[in-house]
Amino acid sequence: MNKISELDLQSTLDKKIYKKKLKDLQYEMLNAQQFLFNNKIGLILVFEGMDASGKGGTIRRLTEHIDPRGYIVHPISAPQVHELRYNYMHRFWRKLPQHGQIAIFDRSWYGRVLVERIEGYAKEHEWKRAYDEINHFEKQLTAEEYILIKFWLHVDKDEQLKRFNERAADPYKSWKLTDEDWRNREKFELYEDAADEMFSKTDSENAPWILVPGNDKLFARINVLEETIAHIEREVARRGLQLTNIFTTSEDSE
């Protein structure tokens, strides 16, 4: 699946099933984290998607029970003035995790071919050549001791508007909603088209794009956890290793 139009945004998950799956998958994620640490393999997770698609909540569930000393979340916004003195990839190189650690990017270097393209911050020849630059960057990482997975969380316009209005009415969530969110909404279709081109030009076996239906937050969270663990298992196997349970319970010892 590499086009937004192919997503089944009606996918849902029962809350009881969600709670059971979430607990099991979070345990598996903790196990995977410790395995990667012991084998000095870095994990990089990229989250992109429409505004209010649930990236923050998904990241929170993904990291809820893993060792906080072993991961960092990078919220990426517009570059600072001093960062504009360098190549646009410079600030991302500096945020790469150590081998055995996890780095999660809430927005990423793909801003070059999304917001910078659509808003005109990057010239046409700059964002067009960025596809090859990004592919080369990601190939360098995965050829070394890194696993890289890229998620696109998507919601339709009706669900996005519903979440915007809920945020505006909730004093504990209103800070999440900005004028920029409303402006981006006016270009919803442009972002979909840019995202589809991005998938077609930067999806690879070593650094795959995984498109996640986000209208149901519960379904999206479980989908991301399942895909993360499954990809780690495949990449570990490719290295001649096996993702085993490193924890011993009382039942195991009997």
Side-chain angles (χ1 to χ4, degrees), residues 139-163:
K139 186 63 177 177
Q140 282 183 286
L141 296 179
T142 56
E144 206 196 79
E145 295 305 317
Y146 287 106
I147 295 173
L148 173 59
I149 318 170
K150 303 172 300 194
F151 291 101
W152 177 273
L153 272 65
H154 196 72
V155 293
D156 60 31
K157 291 188 76 172
D158 290 341
E159 180 64 23
Q160 185 188 65
L161 180 59
K162 174 187 172 186
R163 294 183 186 183

Side-chain angles (χ1 to χ4, degrees), residues 35 125 134 137 203:
F35 181 90
H125 72 274
I134 289 171
F137 168 63
D203 180 56

Side-chain angles (χ1 to χ4, degrees), residues 110 130-132 134-135 138 150 197-204 207-209:
Y110 281 98
Y131 298 117
D132 287 337
I134 289 171
N135 285 331
E138 293 177 350
K150 303 172 300 194
E197 183 174 359
M198 175 182 75
F199 305 143
S200 68
K201 293 186 175 180
T202 60
D203 180 56
S204 63
W209 274 107

Side-chain angles (χ1 to χ4, degrees), residues 97-116:
Q98 300 175 35
H99 295 154
Q101 303 284 307
I102 299 173
I104 300 172
F105 289 85
D106 185 350
R107 304 294 188 186
S108 69
W109 44 91
Y110 281 98
R112 190 69 160 188
V113 296
L114 291 170
V115 63
E116 292 184 35

Side-chain angles (χ1 to χ4, degrees), residues 195-235:
D196 279 340
E197 183 174 359
M198 175 182 75
F199 305 143
S200 68
K201 293 186 175 180
T202 60
D203 180 56
S204 63
E205 185 176 357
N206 62 291
W209 274 107
I210 298 172
L211 280 60
V212 179
N215 275 13
D216 181 357
K217 294 180 180 180
L218 306 187
F219 179 89
R221 294 165 186 169
I222 295 301
N223 193 186
V224 167
L225 271 160
E226 288 177 336
E227 292 286 356
T228 299
I229 294 165
H231 188 71
I232 290 172
E233 289 176 341
R234 288 193 295 270
E235 285 299 300

Side-chain angles (χ1 to χ4, degrees), residues 165-182:
N165 289 332
E166 287 174 350
R167 288 180 177 184
D170 187 340
Y172 292 104
K173 293 184 178 181
S174 59
W175 61 270
K176 293 183 176 183
L177 190 62
T178 67
D179 291 339
E180 185 177 346
D181 293 330
W182 289 108

